[in-house]
Amino acid sequence: MSITKKVYNNKVEACAVVAQEIKSLIQANDAQNKKTVLGLATGSSPIELYKELVRLHKNEGLSFKNVVSFNLDEYYPMAKESEQSYHYFMHHHLFNHVDILPENVNIPSGTVAEGEVAKFCADYEAKIDSLGGIDIQILGIGRTGHIGFNEPGSSFESLTRMVELNKVTIQDAAGDFGGEDKVPTKAVTMGVASVFKAKKVVLFAWGAKKATIVKESLVNPISDQVPATYLQKHQDVTYVLDTEAASEL
Ligand code: F6R
């Protein structure tokens, strides 16, 4: 399978195009009385997309009433109301500004008791399956080549589960938490196989610091050492890049 690459001058232009695709999909599904299932990421990469989706809701009447969302991951442990939580992030950037129904928002739990995590993850996976899978999965890519929090060593078959974060990922998150020692060492993440079930995958990468991992994920042999290389096997993946992130291709 070959991955489609689309390179834009900047992330604003890029996200405007992806937001239009999402709008078309939601409206086509609405017309058939079908729900649209979106797989969503946090971090800096999708912020412009969420801004544009909010604009389409406010200015162009795009409704999220028939959208069901599943987020990729959440730190563990992590209180929902904490500003570092992905729960907070999603509400702040998207959910508080559109008409998505609260019961249609799904985010891995950072608060479920440790003994209940496995059941929570199995239920999360089953809920995605029961809706017929994710229509469009939005991804960022970490410097380790992680997608979601599937760090190096994650298997192709991995499903939603509790994971240990990689050192590089912890270093990258240190700024948000006020120090490396304050970053949670664990997370609950959808697995590689969970992402693979999506009908379409869109991966965003912006800036020069992503250029090397973008290249490696596209050209290196598929390996658990760079989990994003697994995407080479998916039937519908588009890398949406700015010129800097595409500079090593
Ligand atoms: C976030 C996630 C991560 C990020 C990745 C890139 O939900 O699953 O894989 O997409 O760490 O982060 P940013 O976009 O901040 O560079």
Side-chain angles (χ1 to χ4, degrees):
M1 277 336 131
S2 93
I3 292 181
T4 306
K5 293 167 276 290
K6 293 191 179 158
V7 183
Y8 296 87
N9 291 324
N10 56 61
K11 57 188 172 189
V12 176
E13 275 179 26
C15 286
V17 174
V18 177
Q20 282 299 327
E21 277 175 37
I22 293 175
K23 178 183 172 191
S24 302
L25 177 74
I26 292 173
Q27 292 182 337
N29 283 337
D30 281 358
Q32 296 178 56
N33 248 330
K34 275 172 49 185
K35 290 201 182 329
T36 301
V37 186
L38 299 180
L40 301 177
T42 60
S44 59
S45 304
I47 288 178
E48 288 300 327
L49 173 71
Y50 299 153
K51 242 190 221 168
E52 179 62 7
L53 290 174
V54 170
R55 196 191 68 77
L56 291 176
H57 170 68
K58 297 213 154 122
N59 297 353
E60 297 186 20
L62 175 63
S63 173
F64 288 75
K65 282 214 163 100
N66 289 320
V67 169
V68 182
S69 70
F70 287 90
N71 261 82
L72 281 167
D73 42 20
E74 178 60 281
Y75 292 109
Y76 188 92
M78 178 54 72
K80 283 183 180 171
E81 55 279 5
S82 162
E83 283 190 22
Q84 284 97 16
S85 80
Y86 287 168
H87 188 275
Y88 179 92
F89 177 102
M90 288 309 302
H91 286 80
H92 179 73
H93 288 286
L94 182 64
F95 300 146
N96 288 348
H97 314 290
V98 297
D99 59 347
I100 193 165
L101 303 174
E103 61 270 31
N104 287 343
V105 166
N106 299 280
I107 304 176
S109 174
T111 56
V112 63
E114 204 143 356
E116 310 274 307
V117 170
K119 176 166 181 345
F120 176 89
C121 293
D123 290 348
Y124 201 78
E125 202 73 44
K127 193 165 182 191
I128 297 175
D129 292 345
S130 74
L131 287 157
I134 287 169
D135 292 312
I136 295 189
Q137 174 67 56
I138 302 298
L139 294 178
I141 183 168
R143 283 197 298 147
T144 59
H146 72 209
I147 47 174
F149 276 139
N150 295 285
E151 298 286 18
S154 298
S155 79
F156 182 61
E157 293 77 23
S158 56
L159 293 169
T160 304
R161 67 204 188 288
M162 172 100 94
V163 293
E164 299 275 338
L165 295 178
N166 182 288
K167 261 192 153 173
V168 176
T169 301
I170 290 176
Q171 282 165 11
D172 283 350
D176 292 337
F177 283 86
E180 262 178 57
D181 54 330
K182 301 204 175 70
V183 181
T185 57
K186 292 181 182 167
V188 175
T189 184
M190 281 167 55
V192 175
S194 330
V195 168
F196 244 73
K197 288 188 273 184
K199 295 172 188 100
K200 184 178 176 63
V201 175
V202 175
L203 183 145
F204 291 143
W206 323 124
K209 67 178 194 302
K210 293 287 172 79
T212 302
I213 194 65
V214 162
K215 183 188 79 186
E216 287 176 4
S217 70
L218 288 166
V219 305
N220 281 17
I222 295 169
S223 139
D224 68 355
Q225 291 312 298
V226 181
T229 58
Y230 289 128
L231 295 172
Q232 295 171 24
K233 293 203 268 186
H234 192 279
Q235 80 285 354
D236 189 351
V237 181
T238 304
Y239 272 39
V240 175
L241 310 169
D242 63 7
T243 39
E244 289 178 329
S247 60
E248 292 189 25
L249 300 182

